[in-house]
Amino acid sequence: MAYKTTGDASDLPDLFSDLVRCETRLYNALNDLLRARHGIVTSQFEVLRYLRDHPRARVADLAAEFAIGIGATSKSVDRLERLGWAVRAPNPADRRSSLLALTDEGVRLVEAAEETFGAGLAELVGGALDASSVAAAAHALAALRSALEGRGVGMPTG
């Protein structure tokens, strides 16, 4: 299906702009909230939540999920380890990689932060969209994400 620029609100460049600006504003607002209440930033929260929900994940799994480079992902995990929230364990299936896990402190942190994150997100989005609009947007974005990921679009090269 080809789209043409129409100059109205359904224009794809406008959609792109709105997606990016909404993401940035939500991310920044939630970042400020998480930092104030839990001393973490949104990116740390996302990694901690992923590790909690995906036991025995590897750095490569995190990099693929968040579409960031292996080096940046490894440095992020290094920080979480230094803070006492995550640990690396040898991967018996592949000596070149490690399996990641949350520490007890990491589990407590992500569970507390998840409540703050959920309430903050509900307030930010719920104040602007009704439930049917949220459901429609979630469905559309999930379909777009799936299509992009299925084609390997936007993955880092290194």
Side-chain angles (χ1 to χ4, degrees):
M1 173 184 322
Y3 290 92
K4 294 186 178 187
T5 303
T6 61
D8 65 18
S10 65
D11 191 17
L12 288 178
D14 289 343
L15 173 64
F16 175 82
S17 181
D18 287 342
L19 277 172
V20 170
R21 300 317 175 270
C22 286
E23 185 275 339
T24 301
R25 284 167 174 76
L26 288 170
Y27 201 92
N28 290 343
L30 293 166
N31 195 66
D32 293 345
L33 185 61
L34 288 169
R35 186 188 317 260
R37 295 202 184 150
H38 304 283
I40 63 173
V41 294
T42 308
S43 60
Q44 290 171 321
F45 168 73
E46 288 189 292
V47 170
L48 292 170
R49 190 172 67 152
Y50 185 87
L51 293 177
R52 182 203 55 202
D53 296 343
H54 299 88
R56 302 173 53 90
R58 299 165 303 135
V59 167
D61 300 325
L62 285 169
E65 172 66 17
F66 297 111
I68 56 178
I70 295 283
T73 305
S74 186
K75 287 178 184 176
S76 177
V77 172
D78 289 344
R79 281 186 223 106
L80 296 179
E81 279 189 296
R82 279 194 305 274
L83 292 165
W85 300 333
V87 294
R88 284 182 165 103
N91 183 347
D94 180 1
R95 292 184 307 177
R96 296 170 296 161
S97 69
S98 299
L99 301 176
L100 307 173
L102 294 181
T103 62
D104 291 342
E105 185 179 345
V107 170
R108 285 190 297 274
L109 175 61
V110 74
E111 288 176 358
E114 193 162 46
E115 289 184 32
T116 300
F117 180 87
L121 189 57
E123 181 180 328
L124 292 165
V125 174
L129 301 175
D130 63 20
S132 64
S133 295
V134 169
H139 179 77
L141 291 173
L144 177 59
R145 178 181 176 178
S146 179
L148 294 171
E149 288 176 352
R151 295 186 352 237
V153 173
M155 295 303 295
T157 58

